[in-house]
Amino acid sequence: MPQTLDTVVIATRNPGKVAELRDLLADAGVEVVGIDDVCPNTPEPDEGTVSFEANAAIKARAYAAATGLPCLADDSGLEVDALAGAPGVISSHYAWDGQTSGEPATLTRAQRDARNIERLLADLADVPPEQRTARFVCVMVLAAGDDILATARGTFEGRIGQPPHVPRGTHGFGYDPIFLVAPHHERTSAELTPDEKNAHSHRGEAARHMLGYLRLLRTSR
Ligand code: ITT
């Protein structure tokens, strides 16, 4: 028998993401719960390095199996054209070439972000502004049991700035302080308010598509 979509588990331990998605999905009449609310001891599944879609599907299926509830997972990262799409799926551990084992265990999230930014700026040191085009990508996958019910993708276009003009801005996380938002490339995404970023970002776009799929799926069940 198909599961109802009255409650959806968000496959993240990041309370900020749960709150953000709870707001975005409220309009679909879905109750959104964090993985820690239903299954606090669920181990994190190993992600691969193939694609955002594959990683999000791995997480969504693993948590759907662990909780017995429909589960929504996201995977995201930064693609830089001059680096053939890198850092891509290894965005969160780019400074260590994607090797989580190479990262010192004592690093805070902010320190890890700073090391990734330093590495990316060094890799792009000789690349002129017009060739520094990049985009954030977010893929969300909704799974029930082993079935993938929906996949949604969002992108956020920009350019990687050059020192000493970047890093700058205090909002956001990750590569935001060096990402100059298209089309004007005047502000970094760390200089956008959270509402401005949500309105334009890869995660906001993917969430809005997913909201549409959830509404459709709920009316067809
Ligand atoms: P969880 O898996 O615990 O949710 P994470 O840090 O791995 O957190 P993501 O998979 O969503 O988060 O993103 C992977 C990396 O891509 C992230 O660590 C950042 O370096 C970068 N990234 C993704 N979205 C970003 C954004 O909106 N702004 C800046 N950097 C971002």
Side-chain angles (χ1 to χ4, degrees), residues 121-192:
L121 291 176
D123 286 355
L124 293 174
D126 300 325
V127 180
E130 62 282 2
Q131 289 171 29
R132 297 169 77 95
T133 48
R135 72 205 48 77
F136 285 118
V137 178
C138 174
V139 174
M140 286 185 186
V141 168
L142 177 67
D146 215 30
D147 295 337
I148 301 294
L149 302 184
T151 301
R153 191 179 175 91
T155 55
F156 185 24
E157 296 289 335
R159 254 187 209 172
I160 304 305
Q162 280 174 306
H165 310 293
V166 296
R168 59 171 209 261
T170 53
H171 296 293
F173 67 101
Y175 299 91
D176 282 328
I178 60 167
F179 185 80
L180 297 170
V181 179
H184 302 300
H185 307 114
E186 281 165 357
R187 284 195 293 171
T188 68
S189 43
E191 293 175 308
L192 303 182

Side-chain angles (χ1 to χ4, degrees), residues 30 101 105 134 142 153 190 211:
V30 174
S101 54
L142 177 67
R153 191 179 175 91
L211 180 63

Side-chain angles (χ1 to χ4, degrees), residues 12 17 76-77 91-92 109 136 173 175-176 197 202-203:
T12 179
K17 268 192 192 173
S76 60
S91 291
S92 56
R109 199 171 266 259
F136 285 118
F173 67 101
Y175 299 91
D176 282 328
K197 187 178 168 194
H202 49 314
R203 200 165 294 103

Side-chain angles (χ1 to χ4, degrees), residues 9-15 17-18 21 34-36 63 72-74:
V9 179
I10 303 296
T12 179
R13 299 212 132 83
N14 179 339
K17 268 192 192 173
V18 178
L21 286 166
I35 189 77
D36 284 335
Y63 287 119
L72 183 65
D74 79 325

Side-chain angles (χ1 to χ4, degrees), residues 20 26 32 42 138 147 218:
E20 205 177 287
V32 170
T42 315
C138 174
D147 295 337
R218 278 169 59 78

